[in-house]
Amino acid sequence: MTALPDCFCPSDGTRVPAGTLAWCCPVCRGPLDLDFSPNPAPLKSLGGRVNSLWRYAESLPLPAPAFSLGEGRTPLVPLDGAISAKLDFLMPTLSFKDRGAVMLAALALRLAPERVIADSSGNAGTAVAAYCARAGLPCTVYVPEGTSPKKLEQLGAHGARLEVVPGDRERTAVAARSAADEPGVFYASHVHNPYFLQGTKTYVHELWEDLDGRLPDALVIPVGNGTLLLGAALAVRELHAAGLIAKAPALYAVQAAAVAPLADAWRTGADEPPGTTPVSATLAEGIAIARPPRARQILRAVRGSGGGFLTVTEDQIRHAQTDLAGRGLYVETTAAACWAAVRDGALGDRTAVVPLCGAGLKSGLATN
């Protein structure tokens, strides 16, 4: 069996040995990164491999599990002009979170905990619940009150036990982290556990393969906790270090104007958002995160890429969702945020890819 790499804290360097159920830095309680340096396979060697994200085996810290649902390898389609869309809402549980959830379930199965817990506003919890069901692992998901009934229905259908927490997304995370400290618990955190980022980075590996060994000028990504953006940044670094891309794309992070702590920090040059950002109502519920635990990493990744932050209003989100539906692409409101940010030419004539990362059936069409 392949040995697991150690984890480390990106803030203070504290090492966390492989094979434990530790979910955060024991010193600062912050998220962990993985001490893992892959050697991505060249493009010409990928032909004939399994048609899932596991085709990038050299870039992943775990071997393909027997319970894979064929996650990954979602279509890349032209959208308008120089902008294309990657249809990650066509994943098994209808969101991009499957990329990371399968990694968490594979790790949990290997560590054999007594139970698995997760916290989510819907999509991440659903993905973890589905893959735990597939792997035969008991799963409890903490969700904030007000979570879409359709997402709750999907969670329950996968057999997850639901813990509905009064209050917002942050209170839900606090409740889950308290439970995560109990003995025998594997915290399938899509924010704190670095294996989730190892899964989301395959988004960029697929783009690189689909674009014949290149990447677009810009990657435009919705950001709340930043797991897709950080995974993308990780993949870009790995591909560049291996000499498989000549130029790294700029990363553009999209937030709803109603809840934009990272965009505010970026504009002022701060290293992290203020700790008092209120969470207002927004159609983009999936990225309404007031205090992202990986805020410093997100801001550093965006600045280092030469990209920036874009914010969108509720009207822009609503109109973008309707516009995408009119093009045959029915996605949830959070997934429409990136198209809302660039559809009017914000990036000029640069080539760009936006992820359509959640299906419209999860939350319905925004009409108000």
Side-chain angles (χ1 to χ4, degrees), residues 247-303:
K247 180 182 177 183
L251 301 176
Y252 283 87
V254 177
Q255 295 206 290
V259 188
L262 292 164
D264 292 341
W266 178 75
R267 290 191 189 99
T268 62
D271 291 332
E272 60 185 354
T276 56
T277 301
V279 175
S280 304
T282 175
L283 292 168
E285 62 178 7
I287 53 174
I289 308 297
R291 289 176 288 280
R294 293 187 184 270
R296 284 178 174 265
Q297 289 178 278
I298 297 166
L299 287 162
R300 194 160 53 239
V302 171
R303 288 177 175 137

Coordinates of all heavy atoms in Angstrom, one line a residue, residues 247-303:
K247 N 3.6 29.0 -19.6 CA 3.1 30.2 -19.0 C 1.9 29.9 -18.1 O 1.0 29.2 -18.5 CB 2.6 31.2 -20.1 CG 2.1 32.6 -19.5 CD 1.6 33.5 -20.6 CE 1.1 34.8 -20.1 NZ 0.5 35.6 -21.2
A248 N 1.9 30.4 -16.9 CA 0.9 30.2 -15.9 C -0.3 31.2 -16.2 O 0.0 32.4 -16.4 CB 1.4 30.3 -14.5
P249 N -1.5 30.8 -16.1 CA -2.6 31.7 -16.2 C -2.8 32.6 -15.0 O -2.4 32.3 -13.9 CB -3.8 30.8 -16.4 CG -3.4 29.5 -15.7 CD -2.0 29.4 -15.8
A250 N -3.5 33.7 -15.2 CA -3.9 34.6 -14.1 C -5.1 34.0 -13.5 O -6.0 33.5 -14.2 CB -4.2 36.0 -14.7
L251 N -5.2 34.1 -12.2 CA -6.3 33.6 -11.4 C -7.2 34.8 -11.0 O -6.8 35.7 -10.4 CB -5.9 32.9 -10.2 CG -5.0 31.6 -10.3 CD1 -4.5 31.1 -9.0 CD2 -5.6 30.6 -11.2
Y252 N -8.5 34.7 -11.4 CA -9.5 35.7 -11.1 C -10.5 35.0 -10.2 O -11.2 34.1 -10.5 CB -10.1 36.3 -12.3 CG -9.2 37.3 -13.0 CD1 -8.3 36.9 -14.0 CD2 -9.3 38.6 -12.7 CE1 -7.5 37.8 -14.6 CE2 -8.4 39.5 -13.3 CZ -7.5 39.1 -14.2 OH -6.7 40.0 -14.8
A253 N -10.6 35.6 -8.9 CA -11.6 35.1 -8.0 C -12.8 35.9 -8.0 O -12.8 37.1 -8.0 CB -10.9 35.1 -6.6
V254 N -14.0 35.3 -8.0 CA -15.3 35.9 -8.0 C -16.0 35.8 -6.7 O -16.1 34.7 -6.2 CB -16.1 35.4 -9.2 CG1 -17.5 36.1 -9.2 CG2 -15.4 35.6 -10.5
Q255 N -16.5 36.9 -6.2 CA -17.3 36.9 -5.0 C -18.6 37.7 -5.2 O -18.6 38.6 -6.1 CB -16.6 37.5 -3.8 CG -15.3 36.6 -3.4 CD -15.0 36.8 -1.9 OE1 -14.5 37.9 -1.5 NE2 -15.2 35.8 -1.1
A256 N -19.6 37.4 -4.5 CA -20.8 38.2 -4.5 C -20.6 39.5 -3.8 O -19.9 39.5 -2.7 CB -22.0 37.4 -3.8
A257 N -21.0 40.6 -4.3 CA -20.8 41.9 -3.7 C -21.4 41.9 -2.3 O -20.8 42.6 -1.4 CB -21.4 43.0 -4.5
A258 N -22.4 41.1 -2.0 CA -23.0 41.1 -0.7 C -22.2 40.5 0.4 O -22.3 40.8 1.5 CB -24.4 40.4 -0.8
V259 N -21.3 39.6 0.0 CA -20.4 38.9 0.9 C -19.0 38.8 0.2 O -18.7 37.8 -0.4 CB -20.9 37.6 1.4 CG1 -20.0 37.0 2.5 CG2 -22.3 37.6 1.8
A260 N -18.2 39.8 0.4 CA -16.9 39.9 -0.4 C -15.7 40.2 0.5 O -15.0 41.1 0.2 CB -17.0 40.9 -1.5
P261 N -15.5 39.4 1.6 CA -14.4 39.8 2.5 C -13.0 39.7 1.8 O -12.1 40.5 2.1 CB -14.5 38.7 3.6 CG -15.2 37.6 3.0 CD -16.2 38.2 2.0
L262 N -12.8 38.7 0.9 CA -11.5 38.5 0.2 C -11.3 39.6 -0.8 O -10.2 40.2 -0.9 CB -11.5 37.2 -0.4 CG -11.4 36.0 0.6 CD1 -11.7 34.7 -0.1 CD2 -10.0 35.9 1.2
A263 N -12.4 40.0 -1.5 CA -12.2 41.1 -2.5 C -11.9 42.4 -1.8 O -11.1 43.2 -2.3 CB -13.5 41.2 -3.3
D264 N -12.5 42.6 -0.7 CA -12.2 43.8 0.1 C -10.8 43.8 0.6 O -10.1 44.9 0.5 CB -13.2 43.9 1.3 CG -14.6 44.2 0.9 OD1 -14.9 44.6 -0.2 OD2 -15.5 43.9 1.8
A265 N -10.3 42.7 1.0 CA -8.9 42.6 1.5 C -7.9 42.8 0.3 O -6.9 43.5 0.5 CB -8.6 41.3 2.2
W266 N -8.3 42.3 -0.8 CA -7.4 42.4 -2.0 C -7.3 43.9 -2.4 O -6.2 44.4 -2.7 CB -8.0 41.6 -3.2 CG -7.2 41.7 -4.4 CD1 -6.0 41.1 -4.7 CD2 -7.6 42.4 -5.6 NE1 -5.6 41.5 -6.0 CE2 -6.6 42.3 -6.6 CE3 -8.7 43.2 -5.9 CZ2 -6.7 42.9 -7.8 CZ3 -8.8 43.8 -7.2 CH2 -7.8 43.6 -8.1
R267 N -8.4 44.6 -2.4 CA -8.5 46.0 -2.8 C -7.6 46.9 -1.9 O -7.0 47.9 -2.3 CB -9.9 46.5 -2.9 CG -10.7 45.9 -4.0 CD -12.0 46.7 -4.2 NE -12.9 46.0 -5.1 CZ -13.9 45.1 -4.8 NH1 -14.2 44.9 -3.5 NH2 -14.6 44.5 -5.7
T268 N -7.6 46.6 -0.6 CA -6.9 47.4 0.3 C -5.4 46.9 0.6 O -4.7 47.6 1.3 CB -7.6 47.4 1.7 OG1 -7.6 46.0 2.2 CG2 -9.0 47.9 1.6
G269 N -5.1 45.8 -0.1 CA -3.7 45.3 0.1 C -3.5 44.5 1.4 O -2.3 44.2 1.7
A270 N -4.6 44.2 2.0 CA -4.4 43.4 3.3 C -4.1 42.0 3.1 O -4.4 41.4 2.0 CB -5.7 43.5 4.1
D271 N -3.5 41.3 4.1 CA -3.1 39.9 4.0 C -4.3 39.0 4.3 O -4.2 37.8 3.9 CB -2.0 39.6 5.0 CG -0.7 40.2 4.5 OD1 -0.5 40.5 3.3 OD2 0.2 40.5 5.4
E272 N -5.3 39.5 4.9 CA -6.5 38.7 5.3 C -7.7 39.6 5.5 O -7.5 40.8 5.7 CB -6.2 37.8 6.5 CG -5.9 38.6 7.7 CD -5.6 37.6 8.9 OE1 -5.7 36.4 8.7 OE2 -5.1 38.1 9.9
P273 N -8.9 39.1 5.4 CA -10.1 40.0 5.6 C -10.2 40.4 7.0 O -9.7 39.8 7.9 CB -11.2 39.1 5.2 CG -10.6 37.9 4.5 CD -9.2 37.8 5.1
P274 N -10.9 41.5 7.2 CA -11.3 41.9 8.6 C -12.1 40.9 9.2 O -12.9 40.2 8.6 CB -12.0 43.2 8.4 CG -12.6 43.2 7.0 CD -11.6 42.4 6.2
G275 N -12.0 40.7 10.5 CA -12.8 39.7 11.2 C -14.2 40.0 11.5 O -14.9 39.2 12.1
T276 N -14.7 41.1 11.0 CA -16.1 41.5 11.3 C -17.0 41.6 10.1 O -18.0 42.2 10.1 CB -16.1 42.9 11.9 OG1 -15.4 43.8 11.1 CG2 -15.3 42.9 13.3
T277 N -16.6 40.9 9.0 CA -17.4 40.9 7.8 C -18.8 40.3 8.0 O -18.9 39.2 8.4 CB -16.7 40.2 6.6 OG1 -15.4 40.8 6.4 CG2 -17.5 40.2 5.4
P278 N -19.9 41.1 7.8 CA -21.2 40.5 8.0 C -21.6 39.5 6.8 O -21.1 39.7 5.7 CB -22.1 41.7 8.0 CG -21.4 42.7 7.2 CD -19.9 42.5 7.4
V279 N -22.4 38.6 7.1 CA -22.9 37.7 6.0 C -24.3 38.1 5.7 O -25.2 38.0 6.5 CB -22.9 36.2 6.5 CG1 -23.5 35.3 5.4 CG2 -21.5 35.7 6.8
S280 N -24.4 38.8 4.5 CA -25.7 39.2 4.0 C -26.4 38.1 3.2 O -25.7 37.2 2.7 CB -25.6 40.5 3.2 OG -24.9 41.5 4.0
A281 N -27.6 38.3 2.9 CA -28.3 37.4 2.1 C -27.8 37.5 0.6 O -27.6 38.6 0.2 CB -29.8 37.6 2.1
T282 N -27.5 36.4 0.0 CA -27.1 36.5 -1.4 C -27.5 35.2 -2.1 O -27.6 34.1 -1.5 CB -25.5 36.6 -1.5 OG1 -25.1 36.5 -2.9 CG2 -24.8 35.5 -0.7
L283 N -27.8 35.4 -3.4 CA -28.1 34.2 -4.2 C -27.0 33.2 -4.3 O -27.2 32.0 -4.5 CB -28.5 34.7 -5.6 CG -29.8 35.5 -5.7 CD1 -29.9 36.1 -7.1 CD2 -31.0 34.6 -5.5
A284 N -25.8 33.7 -4.2 CA -24.6 32.9 -4.3 C -24.3 32.3 -2.9 O -23.2 32.6 -2.3 CB -23.4 33.6 -4.8
E285 N -25.2 31.5 -2.4 CA -25.0 31.0 -1.0 C -23.7 30.1 -0.8 O -23.2 30.1 0.3 CB -26.2 30.2 -0.6 CG -26.5 28.9 -1.4 CD -27.7 28.1 -1.0 OE1 -28.4 28.6 -0.1 OE2 -27.9 27.0 -1.5
G286 N -23.3 29.5 -1.9 CA -22.2 28.6 -1.8 C -20.9 29.3 -1.6 O -19.9 28.7 -1.2
I287 N -20.8 30.6 -1.8 CA -19.6 31.4 -1.6 C -19.7 32.5 -0.6 O -18.9 33.4 -0.5 CB -19.0 31.9 -2.9 CG1 -20.0 32.7 -3.7 CG2 -18.4 30.8 -3.8 CD1 -19.5 33.5 -4.9
A288 N -20.8 32.4 0.2 CA -21.1 33.4 1.3 C -20.3 33.1 2.6 O -20.9 32.7 3.6 CB -22.6 33.5 1.5
I289 N -19.0 33.2 2.5 CA -18.1 32.8 3.6 C -17.5 34.1 4.2 O -16.7 34.7 3.5 CB -17.1 31.8 3.2 CG1 -17.7 30.6 2.5 CG2 -16.2 31.4 4.4 CD1 -18.6 29.8 3.4
A290 N -17.8 34.4 5.4 CA -17.2 35.7 6.0 C -15.8 35.6 6.4 O -15.0 36.5 6.2 CB -18.1 36.1 7.2
R291 N -15.3 34.4 6.9 CA -14.0 34.2 7.4 C -13.4 32.9 6.9 O -13.3 31.9 7.6 CB -14.0 34.3 8.9 CG -14.2 35.7 9.5 CD -14.3 35.6 11.0 NE -15.5 35.0 11.5 CZ -16.7 35.6 11.5 NH1 -16.9 36.8 11.1 NH2 -17.8 34.9 12.0
P292 N -12.9 32.9 5.6 CA -12.3 31.7 5.1 C -11.1 31.3 5.8 O -10.1 32.1 5.9 CB -12.0 32.1 3.6 CG -12.8 33.3 3.4 CD -12.9 34.0 4.7
P293 N -10.9 30.1 6.3 CA -9.7 29.7 7.0 C -8.5 29.8 6.2 O -7.4 29.9 6.7 CB -10.0 28.2 7.4 CG -11.5 28.2 7.5 CD -12.0 29.1 6.4
R294 N -8.6 29.6 4.9 CA -7.4 29.7 4.0 C -7.3 31.1 3.3 O -6.7 31.2 2.2 CB -7.4 28.6 3.0 CG -7.3 27.2 3.6 CD -7.1 26.1 2.5 NE -7.1 24.8 3.0 CZ -6.0 24.1 3.3 NH1 -4.8 24.7 3.2 NH2 -6.0 22.9 3.8
A295 N -7.8 32.1 4.0 CA -7.8 33.4 3.3 C -6.5 33.9 2.9 O -6.3 34.4 1.8 CB -8.5 34.5 4.3
R296 N -5.5 33.8 3.7 CA -4.1 34.2 3.3 C -3.6 33.5 2.1 O -3.0 34.1 1.2 CB -3.1 34.0 4.5 CG -3.3 35.1 5.6 CD -2.4 34.8 6.8 NE -2.4 35.8 7.8 CZ -1.6 36.9 7.8 NH1 -0.6 37.0 6.9 NH2 -1.7 37.8 8.7
Q297 N -3.8 32.2 2.0 CA -3.4 31.4 0.9 C -4.1 31.9 -0.4 O -3.5 31.9 -1.4 CB -3.6 29.9 1.1 CG -2.7 29.3 2.2 CD -3.0 27.9 2.4 OE1 -3.9 27.5 3.2 NE2 -2.3 27.0 1.8
I298 N -5.4 32.1 -0.3 CA -6.2 32.5 -1.4 C -5.7 33.9 -2.0 O -5.4 34.0 -3.2 CB -7.7 32.7 -1.1 CG1 -8.2 31.3 -0.7 CG2 -8.5 33.2 -2.2 CD1 -9.6 31.4 0.0
L299 N -5.5 34.8 -1.1 CA -5.0 36.2 -1.5 C -3.6 36.1 -2.1 O -3.3 36.7 -3.1 CB -5.1 37.1 -0.3 CG -6.5 37.5 0.1 CD1 -6.4 38.1 1.5 CD2 -7.0 38.6 -0.9
R300 N -2.8 35.3 -1.5 CA -1.4 35.1 -2.0 C -1.4 34.5 -3.4 O -0.7 34.9 -4.3 CB -0.6 34.3 -1.0 CG 0.9 34.3 -1.2 CD 1.7 33.9 0.0 NE 1.2 32.6 0.5 CZ 0.7 32.4 1.8 NH1 0.5 33.4 2.6 NH2 0.3 31.2 2.2
A301 N -2.3 33.5 -3.6 CA -2.3 32.8 -4.9 C -2.8 33.7 -6.0 O -2.3 33.7 -7.1 CB -3.3 31.6 -4.8
V302 N -3.8 34.5 -5.7 CA -4.4 35.5 -6.7 C -3.4 36.5 -7.0 O -3.1 36.8 -8.2 CB -5.7 36.1 -6.2 CG1 -6.1 37.2 -7.1 CG2 -6.8 35.0 -6.1
R303 N -2.7 37.1 -6.0 CA -1.8 38.2 -6.3 C -0.5 37.6 -7.0 O 0.0 38.2 -7.9 CB -1.3 38.8 -4.9 CG -2.4 39.7 -4.3 CD -1.9 40.2 -3.0 NE -2.9 41.1 -2.4 CZ -3.3 41.1 -1.1 NH1 -2.8 40.3 -0.3 NH2 -4.2 42.0 -0.7

